[in-house]
């Protein structure tokens, strides 16, 4: 077999979306075998048995293929059968077998991993083929590989199942289904071909505090399972097969990064209070109950956004009311947490494109998702609302409804909420009396009718990710246009201001829970806009607090007034960045490297 | 009879080149012989009995490959494999 035997150092540049440094083995993720782990065989006896296990899986695969062939031959023309013969030949190909067995022997790894290494290597060779049709033949190899893997899974031995190794996940993109299936504690970092700061990969990485680099374009094709990789989430780099010198430098950097984080943690426990005594509430955006300790440790006053989609993923059926309830109860009664903001079902859109159970929409971002889906699927919406209401007696609760486009939708939502509430009261089930109902402001139409909405809602929370995307008409995961995703676009600033003003006129609080809220470069601008609450990924809190504590509201307003005279997003961004860099040199200089 | 080494260079003439089925036929044909069989194209040489390896050779229509057989039935092997390629694997 060809393919480079000696390891070459390769560096890929992408977008760092979650800070930190990770060093470890690559695992190239394919959608069909997301559950494969790497296990070290620590005994030569295990190697022999592992090779036997691989042999058995090969035999079983062949038996299955012959059976399929026989079944097909009963009613199909001979023509379509040859491909099964091809697959059987690949299965029995001595190179496939000998390479995999060699991997097991030389690397002391389990059959699954060894087979993946073999297939990845062939993939690399096929990728270089110029002829489209011939290059596509790798799919036959992969098909056979998947069959063997399935048969291996059926014969998994328990003795090695618990000692999986930590890996860096390399993928084209990660969907919630992918991440839900992973043992997250085994994941050191992410590197993906596509995506941006707000894609799912980025959000998950930040929430579990591991480094991630996205938008690498060709990483899946270039990296093989078992390659040594460094993920530099600060600089947005992936280094494959680093030389020892480089490895040492990065081990150092990794340590350094942790020291910086430690020094920032002293701000975690302090209130987000400006020098002129303007207090900003700091919320944490979380999606797993397990994140609450980290949110509290990093200084969150409350949960500003609890994403509930993860209760739904990776299931055969819809979650029961009890499953919802136990999840919300854990959040609402969470230690050290003030208010808990539960966002209802945001299913649909980019977050669920990989769910095979859903009808494929041409334009899912503007399709049947979030509150639209809930108002259509009222029964399952009511299950969620019942659970939230029941959990509300365990602590101060807010409910946030996503994708509200106007007053009508919000009234429909409240009507359903009241039905659920009355049902519970009729059943004698206690619920809190001070539950607040909020609107997620993320559609431009909601901004335009913010005054009317403010009269009907208890609070607003601005979801900047979608608001920016809908306002500027750009698909944030489309790399062709992602450069237009500009949080400081004059239009975006005007919209935010309009929402804040409308909210304050009606006497309600206005929060921001989009990614923008946790970006320290924007902190002064957001303060100048007089947002009452900023909710962000917990890791971002200490630095944002540090910045808030180092400035005044007056100064922030002046900066905002200054930049709103600029006509373009680029000018505003440039000005704000250089202002922040001068104002807080130790917080921004290091990030730009 | 001792070991002999035979070689022959041919052009792949069938429309899709060495696609899956053609490659499979070549690999099976090679497998019938005791000789070691190698295919070479553009300086890359692979094991002629491995379908996977033949596929990685990626021969579109018009590519020239050299068959090399080493062993007691080398001559028969070259003849059998050559005929398969010349017959365009029975296509058309």
């Amino acid at each position: 077999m060809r393919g480079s035997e000696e390891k070459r150092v390769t560096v890929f540049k992408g977008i760092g979306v979650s800070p930190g440094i990770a060093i470890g083995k690559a695992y190239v993720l394919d959608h069909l075998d997301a559950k494969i782990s790497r296990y070290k065989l620590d005994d030569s006896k295990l190697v022999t048995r592992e090779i036997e296990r691989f042999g058995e899986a090969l035999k079983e695969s062949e038996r299955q293929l012959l059976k399929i062939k026989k079944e097909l031959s009963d009613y199909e023309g001979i023509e379509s059968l040859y491909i099964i013969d091809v697959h059987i030949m690949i299965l029995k190909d001595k190179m496939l077998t000998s390479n995999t067995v060699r991997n097991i022997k030389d690397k002391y790894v389990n059959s699954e991993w060894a087979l993946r290494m073999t297939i990845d290597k062939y993939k690399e060779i096929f990728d270089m083929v110029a002829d489209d049709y011939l290059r596509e033949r790798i799919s036959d190899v992969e098909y056979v590989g998947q069959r063997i893997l399935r048969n291996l899974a059926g014969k998994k031995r328990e003795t090695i199942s618990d000692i999986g190794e930590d890996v860096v996940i390399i993928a084209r993109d990660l969907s919630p289904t992918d991440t839900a299936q992973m043992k997250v504690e085994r994941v050191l970092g992410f590197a993906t071909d596509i995506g941006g700061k707000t894609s799912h990969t980025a959000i998950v990485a930040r929430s579990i505090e591991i480094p991630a680099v996205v938008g690498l374009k060709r990483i899946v094709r270039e990296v093989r399972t078992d390659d040594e990789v460094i993920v530099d989430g600060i600089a947005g780099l992936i280094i494959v097969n680093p030389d020892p010198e480089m490895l040492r430098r990065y081990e150092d950097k990794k340590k350094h990064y942790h020291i910086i984080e430690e020094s920032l943690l002293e701000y975690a426990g302090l209130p987000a209070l400006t020098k002129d005594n303007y207090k900003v509430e700091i919320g944490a955006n979380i999606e797993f109950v397990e994140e609450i300790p980290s949110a509290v440790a990093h200084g969150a006053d409350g949960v500003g956004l609890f994403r509930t989609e993860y209760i739904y993923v990776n299931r055969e059926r819809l979650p029961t009311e009890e499953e919802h309830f136990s999840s919300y109860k854990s959040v609402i009664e969470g230690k050290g947490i003030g208010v808990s903001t539960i966002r209802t079902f945001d299913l649909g859109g980019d977050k669920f494109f990989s769910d095979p159970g859903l009808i494929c929409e041409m334009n899912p971002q503007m399709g049947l998702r979030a509150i639209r889906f809930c108002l259509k699927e009222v029964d399952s919406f009511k299950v969620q609302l019942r659970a939230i209401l029941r959990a509300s007696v365990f602590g101060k609760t807010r409910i946030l409804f996503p994708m509200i486009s106007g007053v009508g939708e919000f009234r429909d939502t409240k009507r359903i909420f009241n039905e659920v509430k009355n049902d519970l009261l009729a059943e004698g089930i206690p619920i809190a009396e001070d539950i607040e109902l909020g609107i997620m402001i993320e559609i431009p139409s909601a901004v335009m009718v913010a005054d009317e909405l403010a009269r009907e809602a208890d609070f607003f929370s601005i979801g900047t990710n979608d608001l920016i995307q809908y306002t500027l008409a750009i698909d944030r995961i489309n790399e062709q246009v992602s450069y237009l995703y500009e949080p400081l676009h004059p239009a975006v600033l005007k919209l935010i201001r309009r929402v804040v003003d409308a909210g304050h006129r009606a006497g309600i609080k206005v929060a921001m829970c989009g990614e923008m809220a946790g970006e320290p470069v924007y902190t002064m601008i957001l303060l100048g806009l007089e947002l009452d609450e900023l909710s962000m990924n917990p890791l971002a809190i200490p630095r944002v607090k540090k910045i808030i504590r180092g400035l005044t509201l007056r100064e922030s307003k002046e900066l905002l007034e200054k930049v709103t005279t600029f006509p373009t997003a680029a000018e505003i961004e440039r000005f704000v960045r250089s202002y922040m860099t001068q104002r807080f040199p130790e917080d921004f200089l290091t990030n730009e490297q | 009879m001792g070991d002999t080494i035979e070689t022959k260079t041919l052009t792949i003439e069938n429309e899709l080149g060495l696609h899956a089925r053609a490659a499979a036929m070549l690999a099976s044909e090679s497998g019938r012989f005791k000789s070691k069989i190698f295919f070479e194209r553009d300086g890359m040489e692979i094991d002629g009995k491995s379908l996977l390896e033949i596929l990685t050779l990626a021969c579109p229509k018009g590519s020239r490959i050299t068959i090399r057989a080493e062993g007691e039935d080398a001559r028969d092997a070259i003849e059998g494999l050559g005929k398969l390629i010349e017959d365009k694997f029975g296509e058309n």
Side-chain angles (χ1 to χ4, degrees):
Chain A
M1 173 154 66
R2 297 180 309 275
S4 49
E5 283 302 334
E6 81 282 12
K7 304 283 188 185
R8 258 198 6 259
V9 185
T10 328
V11 180
F12 297 92
K13 179 91 187 111
I15 309 160
V17 292
S18 183
I21 307 284
I23 302 167
K25 296 278 186 196
Y27 178 64
V28 182
L29 182 76
D30 271 355
H31 278 97
L32 285 166
D33 59 3
K35 285 176 212 155
I36 292 181
S37 307
R38 179 183 201 270
Y39 303 115
K40 202 89 181 164
L41 309 170
D42 45 6
D43 182 329
S44 58
K45 250 189 250 155
L46 288 176
V47 171
T48 316
R49 266 192 277 158
E50 195 60 24
I51 293 168
E52 280 169 21
R53 193 166 77 92
F54 178 61
E56 282 162 24
L58 285 179
K59 263 188 230 148
E60 177 60 21
S61 304
E62 187 186 358
R63 204 187 58 74
Q64 291 165 353
L65 284 173
L66 287 170
K67 187 162 166 269
I68 294 168
K69 186 184 169 190
K70 190 168 176 298
E71 285 164 1
L72 284 177
S73 66
D74 288 338
Y75 54 87
E76 279 202 36
I78 290 295
E79 193 58 30
S80 60
L81 292 176
Y82 86 90
I83 196 67
I84 299 177
D85 284 321
V86 168
H87 289 162
I88 293 172
M89 284 183 75
I90 291 172
L91 190 68
K92 296 170 83 172
D93 196 292
K94 61 180 184 181
M95 300 309 279
L96 183 85
T97 316
S98 64
N99 279 310
T100 305
V101 167
R102 203 189 58 217
N103 289 336
I104 297 172
K105 278 185 184 162
D106 293 354
K107 308 260 180 196
Y108 294 94
V109 289
N110 54 320
S111 304
E112 288 92 335
W113 194 274
L115 178 64
R116 268 310 303 260
M117 287 172 69
T118 306
I119 292 172
D120 279 358
K121 200 152 187 185
Y122 273 108
K123 205 169 178 175
E124 191 190 36
I125 298 169
F126 274 86
D127 275 341
M128 296 185 297
V129 171
D131 186 279
D132 286 350
Y133 178 80
L134 294 173
R135 188 174 54 242
E136 269 312 294
R137 291 312 96 216
I138 186 66
S139 62
D140 290 310
V141 182
E142 283 174 321
Y143 173 86
V144 172
Q146 299 304 345
R147 178 169 294 279
I148 304 170
L149 287 171
R150 270 203 300 278
N151 287 317
L152 282 168
K155 295 173 194 293
K156 203 161 212 157
R157 288 209 323 263
E158 278 153 45
T159 48
I160 53 166
S161 65
D162 290 324
I163 37 168
E165 256 189 70
D166 294 352
V167 289
V168 171
I169 300 285
I170 311 281
R172 182 169 155 68
D173 192 17
L174 292 169
S175 71
T177 321
D178 295 329
T179 48
Q181 286 176 347
M182 284 171 196
K183 286 185 182 166
V184 285
E185 70 276 14
R186 289 269 171 247
V187 181
L188 299 169
F190 293 131
T192 63
D193 281 347
I194 60 173
K197 273 194 182 279
T198 54
S199 61
H200 178 75
T201 307
I203 292 168
V204 170
R206 285 194 293 267
S207 72
I208 59 178
E209 300 183 22
I210 60 169
V213 180
V214 304
L216 288 153
K217 295 194 174 75
R218 291 177 53 82
I219 194 83
V220 168
R221 298 181 71 179
E222 303 287 349
V223 175
R224 289 199 307 246
T225 291
D226 217 47
D227 279 347
E228 175 101 15
V229 289
I230 296 172
V231 181
D232 183 346
I234 305 159
L237 294 174
I238 299 293
I239 298 150
V240 185
N241 298 322
D243 56 56
E245 192 58 38
M246 205 177 238
L247 207 53
R248 211 164 25 241
R249 274 202 302 276
Y250 262 96
E251 295 281 4
D252 254 346
K253 257 194 192 175
K254 195 171 149 188
K255 249 179 275 162
H256 189 59
Y257 174 74
H258 285 298
I259 294 163
I260 293 173
E261 286 306 295
E262 291 296 315
S263 71
L264 268 177
L265 274 181
E266 66 187 71
Y267 292 92
L270 303 171
L273 193 68
T274 63
K275 285 177 175 170
D276 50 358
N277 288 321
Y278 181 75
K279 172 86 164 68
V280 184
E281 287 292 309
I282 299 293
N285 295 349
I286 63 169
E287 42 222 310
F288 308 106
V289 172
E290 292 77 13
E291 291 175 84
I292 291 177
S294 158
V296 173
H298 283 90
D301 298 316
V303 172
L305 175 66
F306 180 62
R307 300 186 175 96
T308 59
E309 295 76 70
Y310 297 86
I311 299 168
Y312 295 85
V313 294
N314 203 22
R315 285 171 178 276
E316 300 278 316
R317 46 167 186 83
L318 282 171
T320 64
E321 184 180 320
E322 289 313 307
E323 284 164 337
H324 277 293
F325 172 72
S326 75
S327 181
Y328 305 144
K329 178 172 177 283
S330 311
V331 175
I332 291 167
E333 69 178 3
K335 249 198 157 101
I337 286 296
V339 184
S340 296
T341 312
I342 315 286
R343 182 181 66 185
T344 60
F345 210 39
D346 198 18
L347 192 134
D350 68 325
K351 295 198 163 62
F352 278 85
F353 64 88
S354 61
D355 186 335
L358 285 175
I359 296 157
C360 190
E361 291 182 320
M362 280 296 285
N363 197 348
Q365 283 295 335
M366 299 192 185
L368 188 63
R369 55 175 283 219
I371 201 66
R372 302 164 182 183
F373 189 90
C374 291
L375 292 176
K376 189 159 177 275
E377 301 291 327
V378 175
D379 288 345
S380 58
F381 187 36
K382 281 188 168 179
V383 171
Q384 182 175 36
L385 287 175
R386 270 182 74 96
I388 300 172
L389 285 176
R390 281 174 55 203
S392 68
V393 294
F394 295 95
K396 176 75 182 137
T397 307
R398 300 194 304 196
I399 307 178
L400 183 58
F401 298 102
M403 287 280 284
I404 298 281
S405 64
V407 174
E409 257 172 348
F410 191 56
R411 285 184 179 163
D412 289 342
T413 305
K414 281 200 295 186
R415 184 176 43 75
I416 294 170
F417 171 85
N418 284 324
E419 282 171 23
V420 172
K421 189 175 161 183
N422 291 335
D423 285 350
L424 284 168
L425 289 174
E427 291 167 44
I429 296 168
I431 54 175
E433 283 176 6
D434 58 350
I435 299 171
E436 292 182 12
L437 303 185
I439 296 172
M440 190 135 166
I441 304 286
E442 51 189 335
I443 301 181
S445 63
V447 179
M448 300 315 285
V449 296
D451 276 316
E452 291 79 358
L453 286 172
R455 283 196 287 272
E456 311 245 346
D458 299 317
F459 70 99
F460 281 160
S461 188
I462 304 174
T464 47
N465 299 3
D466 276 340
L467 184 61
I468 295 169
Q469 141 162 292
Y470 294 134
T471 303
L472 303 179
I474 47 137
D475 177 354
R476 67 188 196 222
I477 58 170
N478 181 339
E479 287 166 63
Q480 305 296 316
V481 293
S482 61
Y483 71 97
L484 288 171
Y485 185 85
E486 295 170 313
L488 294 186
H489 192 290
V492 174
L493 295 181
K494 281 184 186 176
L495 291 175
I496 296 171
R497 176 171 259 174
R498 192 178 172 119
V499 176
V500 174
D501 289 349
H504 288 175
R505 267 196 297 275
I508 65 169
K509 295 255 166 114
V510 181
M512 176 180 284
C513 65
E515 301 291 315
M516 192 178 177
E519 179 53 69
V521 172
Y522 304 146
T523 302
M524 276 189 84
I525 295 296
L526 300 181
L527 231 70
L529 286 162
E530 288 182 85
L531 283 150
D532 301 295
E533 178 186 325
L534 298 176
S535 191
M536 63 199 75
N537 87 75
L539 211 58
I541 294 173
R543 199 182 295 274
V544 169
K545 275 193 172 178
K546 182 186 176 193
I547 287 167
I548 290 173
R549 293 180 62 83
L551 48 77
T552 64
L553 179 64
R554 228 190 71 195
E555 178 190 3
S556 306
K557 282 185 170 178
E558 280 165 9
L559 175 66
L560 178 71
E561 291 319 313
K562 169 82 183 156
V563 299
T564 42
T565 62
F566 299 158
T568 69
E571 286 164 279
I572 300 177
E573 178 88 25
R574 207 162 39 237
F575 191 86
V576 170
R577 262 185 204 282
S578 74
Y579 187 94
M580 295 305 280
T581 308
Q582 273 174 15
R583 189 68 176 67
F584 300 93
E586 56 175 314
D587 289 286
F588 293 103
L589 283 176
T590 48
N591 275 1
E592 298 303 309
Q593 285 308 309
Chain B
M1 200 158 68
D3 281 4
T4 55
I5 299 178
E6 292 280 339
T7 64
K8 187 170 187 178
T9 301
L10 296 121
T11 305
I12 303 295
E13 294 284 15
N14 55 310
E15 213 43 58
L16 285 173
L18 281 189
H19 57 91
R21 186 183 198 174
M25 287 169 83
L26 267 187
S28 319
E29 182 70 8
S30 296
R32 286 180 46 228
F33 302 101
K34 289 202 185 94
S35 296
K36 287 180 183 167
I37 292 167
F38 304 93
F39 296 149
E40 185 262 4
R41 178 189 171 226
D42 292 343
M44 295 218 237
E45 192 177 70
I46 53 93
D47 185 331
K49 294 184 183 182
S50 163
L51 169 58
L52 266 178
E53 296 277 296
I54 296 175
L55 286 173
T56 64
L57 211 50
C59 298
K61 184 184 178 181
S63 34
R64 290 182 61 76
I65 67 165
T66 301
I67 311 169
R68 183 161 56 89
E70 296 177 12
E72 52 179 287
D73 51 5
R75 180 174 291 270
D76 293 346
I78 292 288
E79 222 175 86
L81 290 164
K83 191 166 172 347
L84 203 54
I85 294 172
E86 278 159 5
D87 286 349
K88 300 181 187 175
F89 305 92
E91 291 174 32
N92 306 329

